[in-house]
Amino acid sequence: MTEDRYPTQRSNLARLAAILGGFDWRNSPRRSRDIILALGLSRTTGFALLRAMVTAELLERTDHGLLRLGPAARRLMFAPVDGHHARPASGRASAAPVASARPAVQRSDDAWNAAVVNLVDTGRYRREGPVSIGFANASLSNPWRQALLDSMHYAVRLHRHRIGRFTTRNADDDVGLQCDQIDEMVDGGLDLLIVSAAQDRSGRIARCLALHGRTGLPVVAVDRRPSDVASMVSFVTASDATVGAEAALWLAERLKGQGRIWMLSGVGGASPAIRRRQSACELLGDFPDIVVEAACETGWTEAGGREAVLQLLDEHGQSPDGVWCDSGLQGVGSIQAFLDRGLPVPEHTGGDLNKMYKLAIRQSVPFVAVDYPAAMGARSIETALAVLDGMPVARRVETPLTTVMPRGCETRSVKADEWAELHVRWDLPDDAVLSQGPSLPMPSRDSSAGVADGR
């Protein structure tokens, strides 16, 4: 009997077929929870699968918690009799186009060949276990980056029968140090290298990786890719363009298309920060009465967010109508700055951090979070193992995003995947990153603890 080397893919295909076949001939909307229950999946797995199908336009949302067949599924159904259907501008478009409706943000990122089917033949990288994997981490400068690493450790434990050695290095955002650490790990013997690249305008990291790639070492990037992707087998990421644009669209619609906005980005030069801010600015360009009054970099830290807002308050003498943050890492500092001055907190964006949810809910701040999933750390380990098994892998591996907001804060185009009141974890430390997934730390006995256990 021939061994089935693709049981997971076949299982997922069966799930997709069951979901698509579960709609009646009228395409009547079904509740997400009913679909998941019928499949017998866990809540986490089920919602992740449904979000991925919405991203691929196989399903579309009609209301909160309700789904129907999307434009991609309808094109498949009618392709034999109508080969010239126009592609809708968005997977969330309604069945009948409405001229005045602005297309919702598409959850994809074209920064590096996001073709749906773009597979890499990895047969030449096949290795018998146990294998040795190294991770060159840009830094551990904030809780999200620690959560990324924790997620990787979690996946390594799950696959300990396959992974003999997992080595990590932290470059503290130093390009030269990261290159030295990569050389050191490779010299120590690696079957595969995972890298999250430090900010590098010189291209030195890309050259370092290309050199090792020419020797036959497979390289998988996660979160931050190098400037030249030629040496990459795969890039595990999430759509930074969506993080920036969906938050900007929510803010613009909450402000009814007019008002003053302050933009607080993360680390200048880091690829996620660049793409989030660029996509947000492009979207806000569709709203001529929205004025971006100021834009600052915060280092993705609470202190950076607080200092930036306090300085802007001193410069402008009044609060803005909204604050766009590309992460809650600086969002908590922004909210705290308004509270410190005794001012009402304007509409905000930015999630990721448990403290952002706690603070915004306690202060009744209208906000939206498009959580950037730290669970991509585990996904990068799974991708690495697929490469070392010689299985075809996607050139770009997308990790699903989750849009979170309090009840009553949905806009015409931006809907919640989860309510903030249910998403927040009051039993976990402030610096827990909820998009870390199953690798989240266990609740401490002292629920007021402020620091999660690290590794």
Side-chain angles (χ1 to χ4, degrees):
M1 180 180 294
T2 303
E3 181 184 1
D4 185 355
R5 294 179 57 198
Y6 307 102
T8 302
Q9 288 91 327
R10 294 182 184 226
S11 175
N12 284 336
L13 284 174
R15 291 168 179 170
L16 288 172
I19 292 171
L20 295 175
F23 291 87
D24 61 26
W25 67 274
R26 297 185 182 88
N27 196 16
S28 303
R30 298 179 63 195
R31 292 193 175 279
S32 304
R33 296 181 188 278
D34 293 341
I35 297 173
I36 293 170
L37 183 63
L39 290 174
L41 297 176
S42 70
R43 183 176 182 273
T44 301
T45 301
F47 276 111
L49 179 58
L50 294 180
R51 283 196 296 271
M53 292 180 71
V54 170
T55 301
E57 298 185 343
L58 291 169
L59 298 175
E60 64 183 5
R61 303 183 191 281
T62 62
D63 199 352
H64 183 69
L66 292 176
L67 296 169
R68 66 182 176 190
L69 294 176
R74 296 196 293 269
R75 287 196 299 273
L76 289 173
M77 294 168 63
F78 293 107
V81 294
D82 187 357
H84 57 274
H85 280 295
R87 179 180 177 87
S90 168
R92 295 186 183 180
S94 58
V98 179
S100 61
R102 190 195 189 286
V105 176
Q106 183 130 336
R107 292 198 173 194
S108 64
D109 188 344
D110 296 326
W112 187 42
N113 200 345
V116 175
V117 180
N118 187 7
L119 299 180
V120 180
D121 181 358
T122 64
R124 64 193 176 105
Y125 299 123
R126 182 177 172 83
R127 301 286 186 275
E128 297 298 328
V131 296
S132 177
I133 297 174
F135 175 45
N137 194 4
S139 74
L140 290 172
S141 57
N142 60 58
W144 190 93
R145 301 210 61 80
Q146 179 65 55
L148 176 76
L149 181 59
D150 289 348
S151 177
M152 298 178 81
H153 279 295
Y154 175 81
V156 168
R157 290 196 299 272
L158 288 181
H159 297 282
R160 55 185 175 273
H161 62 286
R162 182 81 172 89
I163 301 174
R165 182 162 58 98
F166 179 58
T167 306
T168 69
R169 293 290 184 271
N170 166 31
D172 292 324
D173 291 311
D174 185 310
V175 171
L177 178 58
Q178 186 164 48
C179 289
D180 291 342
Q181 290 173 342
I182 290 171
D183 292 340
E184 173 204 342
M185 286 191 288
V186 174
D187 289 344
L190 287 182
D191 293 302
L192 182 143
L193 175 70
I194 302 174
V195 62
S196 183
Q199 173 189 343
D200 178 21
R201 293 186 175 90
S202 67
R204 182 176 173 184
I205 294 174
R207 292 192 294 273
C208 175
L209 294 174
L211 178 64
H212 292 298
R214 285 195 289 271
T215 69
L217 178 72
V219 179
V220 172
V222 61
D223 170 46
R224 300 185 191 177
R225 58 182 175 84
S227 56
D228 183 353
V229 300
S231 60
M232 302 290 99
V233 174
S234 183
F235 179 32
V236 181
T237 184
S239 177
D240 288 297
T242 299
V243 173
E246 190 161 315
L249 177 58
W250 177 87
L251 195 55
E253 291 187 339
R254 286 284 299 184
L255 299 180
K256 296 180 171 51
Q258 57 184 1
R260 298 160 39 252
I261 291 177
W262 294 349
M263 300 186 73
L264 306 184
S265 295
V267 174
S271 55
I274 293 171
R275 290 195 293 271
R276 293 175 196 178
R277 181 168 162 179
Q278 182 181 35
S279 62
C281 289
E282 288 175 356
L283 188 140
L284 292 173
D286 293 339
F287 296 87
D289 293 326
I290 294 285
V291 177
V292 178
E293 192 172 63
C296 304
E297 295 171 356
T298 63
W300 279 318
T301 65
E302 178 177 346
R306 182 176 178 276
E307 291 168 7
V309 168
L310 290 176
Q311 182 175 344
L312 290 172
L313 286 170
D314 289 338
E315 290 177 2
H316 295 278
Q318 59 179 330
S319 298
D321 299 299
V323 179
W324 177 91
C325 299
D326 68 2
S327 170
L329 295 167
Q330 71 268 30
V332 290
S334 174
I335 291 176
Q336 193 59 57
F338 290 102
L339 296 175
D340 290 347
R341 291 286 177 90
L343 298 170
V345 181
E347 318 254 341
H348 264 69
T349 73
D352 300 317
L353 201 63
N354 201 26
K355 186 175 182 180
M356 179 71 179
Y357 291 107
K358 290 181 178 180
L359 186 60
I361 291 172
R362 283 171 176 152
Q363 300 297 327
S364 300
V365 178
F367 76 100
V368 72
V370 185
D371 272 0
Y372 191 62
M376 70 177 69
R379 184 69 66 88
S380 71
I381 294 293
E382 294 168 354
T383 302
L385 290 175
V387 171
L388 295 175
D389 282 338
M391 296 173 58
V393 300
R395 181 72 69 181
R396 179 186 179 90
V397 178
E398 286 272 355
T399 311
L401 296 165
T402 304
T403 301
V404 186
M405 67 186 79
R407 287 185 175 90
C409 287
E410 290 185 321
T411 67
R412 181 179 186 178
S413 305
V414 184
K415 308 298 182 183
D417 293 318
E418 294 185 27
W419 297 125
E421 296 88 347
L422 301 177
H423 187 68
V424 66
R425 290 292 302 272
W426 300 106
D427 57 337
L428 290 182
D430 287 350
D431 64 354
V433 175
L434 303 186
S435 64
Q436 190 175 326
S439 60
L440 272 169
M442 293 296 291
S444 63
R445 292 183 179 179
D446 178 8
S447 61
S448 65
V451 181
D453 293 337
R455 290 180 177 84

